Amino acid sequence: MESMEDFKDEIDRSFRQIKEGDIVTGTVIGIEDTEVLLDIKYYTQGVIKAEDLSEDPKFSIRTDVKVGDEISATVVATDDGNGNILLSKREATKVLAWDKLKELLESGENVTVTVSEAVKSGVVCFLEGIRGFIPASKLSLDYVDDDALNDYVGKKLQVRVITADEKDQKLVLSAKEILREKADEERAQKISNVEVGLVTEGTVESLQDYGAFINLGNGLSGLVHISQIANQRIAHPSAVLKVGQKVKVKVTAIKDGKLSLSMKALDEIAATEITEEKIEFESEGDATTSLADLLKKAGF
């Protein structure tokens, strides 16, 4: 048979001293439109008013809280007037969340957030109950105009914490680093299928003093150094090329995920092929190139 000793720990917890400012953890046992009831392993239950659950304006007590959820909350009062412990999840969040956010900053862990609104130069979301800002420059690898920010509202994004300043209540997040890493992985996979010596067609993407970047399609591009554009020396790639022009190139090197291309090498290949054809023609019969001999062979 069970004895009082078997329930000693539970009994001790139920009569422990709880004071204002303490953070307690309880299990949701009831949900009303205006409050949530918690079992905090105490002789009385805890109550969190709806307005003390979250700072997120999109938060819904009916959809975002479920019976059985564990919630940590700060003791606001030891008696709410009805004998219950009055709690605030918002207050506990401010204490606990910043510790978690600092951990996320140090670890660089990816987290998923939902964009709640668009503001000037970025969007807002909530992480660990804290209002966070994602600058427009950190939303995508491409430029995001202010007019396009509303398109992000309601979307789930993978982000990292890049600033977690509890003193100034400043939380800044970024999706850009994650997107760049994924793009680099995809590019590395595509480059692994490219071999040195490949001849292909591409489009001139941009011209620089040192060469031309060629878009090869499928997310790949490479550089034709100015010395590899033409057989003759040129002062600038624009002397031979223009943006948007279609060109044939040869892959001459692959290093550190970068493709080195050459147009000059194709001219050399063509010159070699012409020479080989001439040699093959001359090897048949007597080797001669005079017009008189050709006419004679033709029967004139």
Side-chain angles (χ1 to χ4, degrees):
M1 293 179 63
E2 294 177 331
S3 66
M4 290 294 290
E5 188 65 27
D6 296 319
F7 297 97
K8 184 178 184 303
D9 289 342
E10 189 172 340
I11 292 170
D12 288 344
R13 285 199 304 272
S14 69
F15 285 98
R16 72 191 186 279
Q17 185 179 7
I18 289 181
K19 58 184 183 296
E20 292 181 10
D22 286 351
I23 294 178
V24 298
T25 300
T27 304
V28 177
I29 56 175
I31 302 171
E32 304 293 338
D33 289 335
T34 58
E35 62 186 23
V36 169
L37 303 179
L38 295 185
D39 175 7
I40 56 174
K41 305 298 182 184
Y42 200 54
Y43 68 85
T44 187
Q45 61 193 8
V47 176
I48 306 176
K49 299 297 182 181
E51 61 270 21
D52 289 322
L53 280 166
S54 176
E55 292 184 351
D56 186 348
K58 303 289 185 181
F59 180 85
S60 169
I61 195 170
R62 285 297 186 183
T63 58
D64 294 330
V65 183
K66 296 178 179 60
V67 172
D69 286 353
E70 278 202 350
I71 294 178
S72 294
T74 299
V75 177
V76 177
T78 54
D79 190 338
D80 68 344
N82 294 312
N84 300 311
I85 304 294
L86 185 62
L87 306 170
S88 172
K89 183 176 182 296
R90 289 177 61 173
E91 290 300 317
T93 293
K94 291 177 182 178
V95 176
L96 301 174
W98 285 107
D99 290 338
K100 176 64 175 177
L101 294 172
K102 289 171 186 174
E103 288 178 9
L104 291 172
L105 173 64
E106 292 175 4
S107 69
E109 181 182 340
N110 296 349
V111 291
T112 301
V113 297
T114 302
V115 177
S116 58
E117 64 175 314
V119 294
K120 184 179 180 181
S121 301
V123 298
V124 170
C125 62
F126 284 80
L127 179 59
E128 298 294 324
I130 301 296
R131 186 179 189 272
F133 177 66
I134 309 176
S137 61
K138 296 294 186 178
L139 279 170
S140 172
L141 293 178
D142 301 318
Y143 174 77
V144 179
D145 188 86
D146 281 352
D147 294 336
L149 292 175
N150 281 320
D151 295 339
Y152 284 87
V153 176
K155 286 187 176 180
K156 291 185 180 295
L157 300 177
Q158 270 204 318
V159 297
R160 286 180 188 157
V161 177
I162 57 174
T163 300
D165 188 336
E166 182 179 1
K167 181 180 178 181
D168 293 333
Q169 296 289 294
K170 186 177 181 182
L171 174 63
V172 184
L173 311 171
S174 173
K176 193 169 188 175
E177 287 74 12
I178 300 172
L179 294 173
R180 182 181 292 115
E181 288 173 6
K182 288 182 178 178
D184 288 345
E185 288 174 6
E186 291 175 1
R187 177 181 169 81
Q189 180 59 43
K190 291 172 183 176
I191 286 180
S192 68
N193 295 321
V194 176
E195 295 182 356
V196 172
L198 172 69
V199 175
T200 186
E201 187 176 71
T203 304
V204 178
E205 199 169 46
S206 67
L207 300 176
Q208 309 296 330
D209 291 341
Y210 51 84
F213 284 97
I214 310 298
N215 184 345
L216 303 177
N218 198 29
L220 291 179
S221 62
L223 173 67
V224 180
H225 190 268
I226 189 170
S227 64
Q228 294 297 312
I229 291 177
N231 285 312
Q232 70 274 24
R233 184 176 179 181
I234 57 176
H236 192 274
S238 59
V240 178
L241 302 171
K242 60 182 180 180
V243 173
Q245 180 179 342
K246 296 282 187 182
V247 294
K248 280 191 174 182
V249 293
K250 179 181 179 180
V251 178
T252 56
I254 303 173
K255 184 178 181 181
D256 298 329
K258 297 178 181 178
L259 300 178
S260 295
L261 309 174
S262 174
M263 295 169 60
K264 180 179 175 181
L266 294 179
D267 291 336
E268 293 171 352
I269 291 173
T272 302
E273 289 175 346
I274 291 171
T275 302
E276 289 174 348
E277 287 175 4
K278 181 178 179 181
I279 293 171
E280 184 180 346
F281 172 76
E282 291 178 347
S283 67
E284 295 180 0
D286 298 328
T288 178
T289 57
S290 70
L291 178 59
D293 287 338
L294 289 173
L295 292 174
K296 183 177 180 181
K297 285 184 179 181
F300 293 96

